[in-house]
Amino acid sequence: MQKSIKRNIFVAATYAGVLLLGLLLGQRYADEQGNKQSISILTGGLTGNSEKVQYMVNLIADNYVDKVNLDTIQDEAIQHIITRLDPFSTYLKPNERLAQSEALEGTFDGIGVEYFNLNDTLLVVGMIAGGPAEKSGMKIGDRLVKIANRNIAGVRVTENVVDKLIRGKKGSIVDIIIKRNNEVLTTALKVVRDQVSVSTLDASYMIAPKVAYVKIRRFGHHTADDFKIKLRDLKKSGAEDLILDLRGNGGGYVHTAIEMASMFFKDKRLLMYTEGANELRRDYFSKEPGGFADGRIIVLINEETASASEIVTGALQDLDRGTVVGRRSYGKGLVQEQFDFADGSAVNLTVARYYTPLGRCIQRKYTRANYDQSNYMTTFDLWTMETEFSPHDMYTTSKGKMLFGGGGIQPDILIPIDSNEISSKYREIYHSNSIQEFVYDRFTKKLPAYSIENFLSGYNLPDAEFNDFISFLQTKEIAVNKLEADRLHQIIQSDIEALVGRYYFGREAYYKIKNRKDFFIVGALDALGIQRN
């Protein structure tokens, strides 16, 4: 399966989860424009029934009573075929393929600014260090008034519209008028569009003496290289042990996962192997020696840890190299290979299953659901994934640890589910964006005069501010009674504190604050024999 590396084999990309406040980095693209020359679905060399699809397309093109969009017909035909296979084989239109590719590559053409739509005003809440926006003089807290002479303040404007205004050829200039400290600047900022890079490492810092913490969002093209650099810096700071946080990491490139896992072993070890009906077994080994082959490793996982993340976790667990803390992972053991069409679209086709070093297949069972196909949104909607995992087969590591096969990876140390986190009331609050609206409206008047260290050690949301937030929810028509407020106090307080820290000090501060009261982190430090202050 050597060709798979060349064709960008990857395990399904990230499913859900991180706070998206609208990166103006060009990762969202306008829908594909029509009126393109039609491309054949299938190429030459077809025989028997396989000719029917192309014959039918040609028949419609030459004989149908009305003009039809053949591109749409062919897209729907491919989509129909793909939906009969499995939940992870997908057909991507050109704009979707490009967006997915650039998300994994970690580079985008844009201006490098992150915004939140607050009361129909785009508030700058983050910027890429050294990016075009920062170079132009834009600052956190600025409000965007006009982009390319189009007014966007006080009017409803979609993300796609903003992206179209922001995007453009690298080196071209976009004029942006901003409002700062309640005054509209008369001179537009001239922002030179450029390619910006976004790291898939959300945080890396010393969480305790001799213990490093690294949070990885997904496994992109540059993840392993970024990890090596961060790891080198952390070791200089005294890191001997590592907490690797893969919670919410839905996957990415297989070769990146292998390169990552290789860093934790001294010698050549089998990290995983793949096999399929049309793919011979291929073994993937570590490269020796790894850059972190001696220290202890704790891997944090949850229900959204999937695919490439499970490859790394499974290798470390099978080979007795790490301790897995958290909750059973998602359970995706299928590998997709990307096949491109001439019009820029592509099919991510499942070509093999992957197995951990001990031979475990961690794929969760799935069955095709009986949905009305006229209403489904994605290929994945047509499938029902087993909610109850049914582990089968027992495996024993070299140190005698018993592991299960079946759906997902079972942690060595289980962290129980927080009932407040999954409560319907908290989900209602979280998905309403009320926390962001409250923070950005209340805490963004001016940046703090103190340092991040003082903020982390000394800032806790006052009870009065929490009570004001509960009152704010009433204005959003979200009713919260006293019992619910008491139960959700700690988790909401942590969310608000973390978002305030992120606004003031950047993405890494968000995780530093959330980790202060994180049960997973407590469990990881306990596993290392470290008591948290």
Side-chain angles (χ1 to χ4, degrees), residues 30 33 65 167 184 190 204 307 317 324 346 354-355 374 397 404 501 505 514 518 523:
Q33 301 299 311
V65 61
R167 286 183 55 78
V184 176
K190 294 189 176 296
S204 59
S307 58
Q317 188 180 51
V324 181
Y354 75 78
Y355 300 83
S374 64
T397 70
F404 291 102
F505 303 109
K514 288 293 288 183
D518 192 309

Side-chain angles (χ1 to χ4, degrees), residues 205-266:
Y205 66 98
M206 297 297 294
I207 197 169
K210 300 182 180 181
V211 181
Y213 168 88
V214 177
K215 168 73 174 178
I216 299 179
R217 183 169 67 254
R218 61 175 172 265
F219 288 96
H221 184 71
H222 300 289
T223 302
D225 291 335
D226 290 345
F227 180 71
K228 288 178 183 177
I229 294 171
K230 295 294 185 182
L231 199 58
R232 184 171 62 243
D233 294 339
L234 291 167
K235 291 175 73 174
K236 289 179 180 178
S237 298
E240 296 180 3
D241 300 320
L242 171 67
I243 297 175
L244 181 62
D245 193 344
L246 299 182
R247 289 175 292 173
N249 185 323
Y253 289 123
V254 168
H255 69 268
T256 300
I258 295 301
E259 190 173 356
M260 277 281 301
S262 294
M263 299 182 200
F264 305 125
F265 297 93
K266 293 181 180 179

Side-chain angles (χ1 to χ4, degrees), residues 402-529:
M402 302 297 295
L403 303 176
F404 291 102
I409 293 175
Q410 195 170 40
D412 302 310
I413 300 174
L414 177 66
I415 303 298
I417 293 176
D418 181 355
S419 59
N420 292 318
E421 185 179 341
I422 64 172
S423 69
S424 59
K425 183 57 64 177
Y426 176 70
R427 289 177 180 270
E428 180 184 7
I429 294 170
Y430 183 85
H431 292 296
S432 70
N433 286 333
S434 296
I435 296 175
Q436 294 96 310
E437 288 185 31
F438 181 78
V439 168
Y440 292 138
D441 186 53
R442 198 175 187 92
F443 295 92
T444 59
K445 307 305 181 186
K446 61 180 180 179
L447 296 180
Y450 40 82
S451 68
I452 183 173
E453 289 77 17
N454 291 334
F455 183 88
L456 292 172
S457 62
Y459 180 76
N460 290 285
L461 186 75
D463 288 343
E465 294 283 6
F466 176 79
N467 294 334
D468 285 346
F469 175 70
I470 298 301
S471 298
F472 170 74
L473 290 176
Q474 310 298 328
T475 67
K476 303 282 292 182
E477 298 184 350
I478 300 176
V480 180
N481 60 44
K482 187 178 186 308
L483 179 60
E484 290 171 329
D486 290 342
R487 287 177 175 174
L488 298 177
H489 191 143
Q490 181 172 319
I491 187 172
I492 290 176
Q493 176 178 332
S494 177
D495 286 343
I496 292 176
E497 291 171 351
L499 195 57
V500 172
R502 186 183 189 275
Y503 177 79
Y504 287 159
F505 303 109
R507 181 183 295 274
E508 187 168 275
Y510 177 89
Y511 292 96
K512 286 182 176 181
I513 296 168
K514 288 293 288 183
N515 287 345
R516 295 187 304 187
K517 301 175 182 177
D518 192 309
F519 294 126
F520 286 76
I521 297 297
V522 172
L525 293 175
D526 284 346
L528 293 171

Side-chain angles (χ1 to χ4, degrees), residues 315-379:
L316 292 172
Q317 188 180 51
D318 281 21
L319 300 174
D320 291 310
R321 183 63 188 90
T323 300
V324 181
V325 174
R327 297 197 283 268
R328 184 183 283 271
S329 65
Y330 181 83
K332 181 182 180 298
L334 301 179
V335 180
Q336 284 72 50
E337 180 175 350
Q338 188 171 96
F339 297 88
D340 297 331
F341 289 92
D343 66 343
S345 60
V347 166
N348 294 335
L349 186 67
T350 298
V351 296
R353 290 179 174 83
Y354 75 78
Y355 300 83
T356 67
L358 290 178
R360 292 189 289 164
C361 179
I362 54 88
Q363 175 59 48
R364 185 157 44 131
K365 291 183 179 180
Y366 54 85
T367 55
R368 196 168 188 279
N370 294 318
Y371 286 105
D372 177 0
Q373 291 191 42
S374 64
N375 293 327
Y376 77 82
M377 298 299 294
T378 66
T379 302

